[in-house]
Amino acid sequence: MRELILGGSRSGKSALAERRAADSGLAVTYIATARAGDPEMAARIAHHRARRPGHWSLVEEPLQLAAVLERHAAPGCCLVVDCLTLWLSNLLCADRDGEEPAPQALQRLEQERDALLAALALAPGRIVLVSNEVGMGIVPLGALTRRFSDEAGRLNQAVAAACERVTLVVAGLPYPLKEPPS
């Protein structure tokens, strides 16, 4: 089963993903897409690491998410991907040209997104993906942030369509948006 957990910043989406993985009873591999580019982000990463069980496997991959899913997805295994929007940011900012992503970054984003969706369709086992819902606020001022918001919305829609379960988390409370048929 594939599940997408959406929410705003500090909504509890990662904690819910970790609970779902722990409750699955399967071997868990945590796939982290974050990069510790500054002390504040390093502290966030340390907080996430500290609350995860020590017996979970960890794979850190900021760009090639589909390849990691293809290598690690297996029957009897649960993958937690945290998070898609950080992965998107990494791709958009990989070859930035001022305020705009470079054309090669946009091409790579499209290729990696398509590869992710293909990998999700074929991956065995359980996959829990975490993503930020960024489209409920004001329209960003800069071209890069508008591009990010648009791409995040498109990515979330495509991943939600590929998942059997989609949950929105608000203030730590999960709201089911899509449930697998009973």
Side-chain angles (χ1 to χ4, degrees):
M1 182 173 73
R2 287 141 202 78
E3 177 175 7
L4 174 62
I5 299 177
L6 297 162
S9 187
R10 297 288 188 215
S11 62
K13 61 192 176 297
S14 294
L16 177 61
E18 292 164 9
R19 281 195 308 276
R20 295 263 170 90
D23 291 348
S24 75
L26 302 171
V28 177
T29 298
Y30 192 95
I31 302 169
T33 62
R35 290 179 168 166
D38 58 52
E40 186 270 338
M41 192 59 168
R44 284 177 180 255
I45 291 170
H47 171 75
H48 276 256
R49 280 186 184 143
R51 76 171 185 223
R52 288 194 303 264
H55 64 277
W56 286 8
S57 298
L58 172 66
V59 175
E60 295 178 331
E61 178 50 58
L63 298 171
Q64 296 176 330
L65 189 50
V68 169
L69 291 182
E70 290 167 358
R71 270 195 312 275
H72 293 278
C77 182
C78 179
L79 304 181
V80 176
V81 177
D82 198 357
C83 90
L84 292 178
T85 41
L86 284 173
W87 171 73
L88 176 65
S89 292
N90 295 338
L91 288 167
L92 277 175
C93 296
D95 298 305
R96 207 166 71 201
D97 183 17
E99 273 297 304
E100 282 291 324
Q104 64 267 29
L106 295 175
Q107 182 179 14
R108 182 172 187 186
L109 168 62
E110 186 175 324
Q111 291 169 344
E112 290 291 336
R113 182 188 59 233
D114 292 348
L116 172 64
L117 294 170
L120 274 176
L122 300 174
R126 182 158 185 190
I127 301 174
V128 182
L129 304 116
V130 176
S131 191
N132 288 286
E133 175 50 66
V134 299
M136 299 173 96
I138 60 172
V139 175
L141 291 176
L144 181 60
T145 51
R146 281 192 300 276
R147 169 66 78 143
F148 169 78
S149 182
D150 290 348
E151 294 296 341
R154 289 184 194 104
L155 176 64
N156 287 344
Q157 288 182 57
V159 172
C163 289
E164 291 85 13
R165 176 185 283 160
V166 179
T167 305
L168 176 66
V169 180
V170 179
L173 301 173
Y175 292 90
L177 302 178
K178 181 179 178 183
E179 289 288 334
S182 310

